[in-house]
Amino acid sequence: MSEAHTTASTAFFDSIDGVVQALANAGYFADRQLATAVFLAIKLQRPLLLEGEPGVGKTELAKALAKALQRELIRLQCYDGMELRDALYEWNYAAQMLHMRAAESLHAGSEGVHELEREIYQQRYLIRRPLLQALQAPLPGAVLLIDEVDRADEPFEAFLLEYLGEYQVTIPELGTIRAASTPLTILTSNRTRELNDAVKRRCLYHWLDYPDRERELEILRALVPQASAALTEQVAQFVNRLRSQPFSSAFQRTPAIAESVEWAKALVALDTLTLDPEIVTSTAGILFKQRDDVAALTRELAAELLAPEQASP
């Protein structure tokens, strides 16, 4: 674990406000609670587990952190049936075989066999996968994104424990490999299944929700600057209401941040100045990715979503 690296990281993010500002400069708008979780993950050198609905910005946070910290982003995309060789390492068997054929004529007897085994299990025949790449990344270290860890099998979680707890892994032929510089590690989960408690204990935890109206407004202003102020306000208001009850219950999946940004860009491309039910329903395929959800956004519902909110009595 590198002390120099620790100092450099905390100096860059010297406060929670510093995290908010650095992420904003990288195009990511974090609220104070999320910025606090990020600050502590760096300060305490602990992995950060982010859970939340798809599309709330979990993966984007890792990308923004890599940009803000000027570190390499290394991504491990998890999936059902993923094996250790996909996540950590595998041996280059073809190269090992060539070496063996070239060397076998030079070795003889049992001593020759042992020598040959030592030669083929060298670092040069090791194919490094994301976890090992993150551990061996040079200063200032990497940002490791273990994306959608809930999609991997439970045995993979057990394998992760050594990495998450001690930033090290064990390769039988080479021994224990420790981090050259502690990777900033972000795990994401869409909660398709409950994660093992042992994994959670080794991480800081943060539930990431959809942004509130003001934060969504900030995102839209930054990412779709060509949209008029009035249109940006309307898009943020519309999407925010659509995600809230009772409207959200009409849909299987409400729009993510990426979809609201894409919708704003499409509205600009159509020279839209203000939203009305017709333009909303005709562009619903950008907000929703399922036929039933597109059909559920009728003109009547769009008009209701666009109507001024009633003041509380």
Side-chain angles (χ1 to χ4, degrees):
M1 190 174 295
S2 167
E3 186 64 30
H5 166 241
T6 303
T7 304
S9 294
T10 51
F12 189 81
F13 286 164
D14 57 358
S15 67
I16 296 169
D17 289 337
V19 176
V20 172
Q21 187 58 54
L23 287 175
N25 293 341
Y28 191 96
F29 300 89
D31 60 26
R32 192 165 182 80
Q33 194 176 6
L34 175 58
T36 302
V38 169
F39 180 78
L40 290 175
I42 296 172
K43 190 83 172 176
L44 303 178
Q45 299 194 18
R46 296 279 300 281
L48 175 59
L49 170 61
L50 297 173
E51 285 196 325
E53 297 295 324
V56 294
K58 302 185 294 295
T59 300
E60 292 304 312
L61 175 64
K63 294 178 182 177
L65 280 170
K67 187 176 180 181
L69 291 167
Q70 299 180 344
R71 295 192 193 186
E72 179 187 6
L73 175 67
I74 297 174
R75 181 172 182 169
L76 174 60
Q77 180 64 53
C78 299
Y79 55 88
D80 184 24
M82 188 170 69
E83 298 183 8
L84 188 61
R85 64 184 180 184
D86 302 316
L88 181 58
Y89 78 99
E90 66 178 314
W91 291 106
N92 187 337
Y93 296 117
Q96 286 177 318
M97 187 62 69
L98 287 173
H99 180 95
M100 289 174 67
R101 287 176 179 170
E104 61 187 359
S105 61
L106 302 176
H107 301 289
S110 57
E111 281 301 317
V113 171
H114 294 316
E115 178 64 24
L116 196 52
E117 287 181 349
R118 283 194 290 272
E119 289 175 358
I120 62 174
Y121 289 116
Q122 299 293 321
Q123 296 262 0
R124 57 179 166 156
Y125 296 120
L126 195 63
I127 299 174
R128 294 164 176 80
R129 301 305 186 195
L131 292 180
L132 191 53
Q133 291 173 16
L135 289 179
Q136 296 187 320
L139 285 170
V143 173
L144 174 64
L145 169 62
I146 303 177
D147 212 9
E148 299 185 333
V149 65
D150 52 321
R151 292 188 181 276
D153 300 326
E154 290 186 21
F156 178 70
E157 287 184 55
F159 160 73
L160 275 180
L161 297 182
E162 183 182 13
Y163 171 85
L164 296 176
E166 301 167 65
Y167 293 110
Q168 66 178 37
V169 294
T170 301
I171 296 177
E173 299 86 355
L174 299 178
T176 299
I177 297 177
R178 297 182 176 83
S181 177
T182 307
L184 174 55
T185 303
I186 305 293
L187 297 90
T188 74
S189 167
N190 295 330
R191 300 201 73 180
T192 58
R193 66 174 176 82
E194 190 70 22
L195 298 180
N196 191 298
D197 284 344
V199 168
K200 290 183 175 180
R201 280 198 302 272
R202 285 162 173 78
C203 301
L204 303 184
Y205 177 85
H206 183 80
W207 173 264
L208 196 55
D209 214 337
Y210 287 116
D212 59 24
R213 180 181 168 282
E214 291 306 313
R215 194 157 72 89
E216 184 122 27
L217 203 52
E218 276 190 289
I219 295 168
L220 290 170
R221 284 171 178 157
L223 300 184
V224 196
Q226 62 273 40
S228 69
L231 181 63
T232 305
E233 288 267 0
Q234 268 199 309
V235 169
Q237 176 73 12
F238 184 90
V239 175
N240 187 259
R241 291 191 72 188
L242 192 150
R243 292 181 188 136
S244 62
Q245 292 294 339
F247 303 107
S248 63
S249 59
F251 307 100
Q252 297 179 40
R253 180 169 177 262
T254 50
I257 299 170
E259 284 145 3
S260 68
V261 170
E262 198 63 28
W263 191 41
K265 290 179 179 176
L267 293 169
V268 170
L270 293 171
D271 296 323
T272 305
L273 298 178
T274 58
L275 293 179
D276 58 52
E278 182 175 352
I279 191 68
V280 168
T281 52
S282 62
T283 56
I286 299 170
L287 287 173
F288 299 104
K289 306 305 176 189
Q290 299 194 54
R291 180 182 178 184
D292 290 345
D293 284 344
V294 171
L297 187 58
T298 61
R299 287 193 179 193
E300 291 73 21
L301 182 56
E304 192 175 351
L305 284 159
L306 290 169
E309 289 187 272
Q310 297 294 321
S312 301

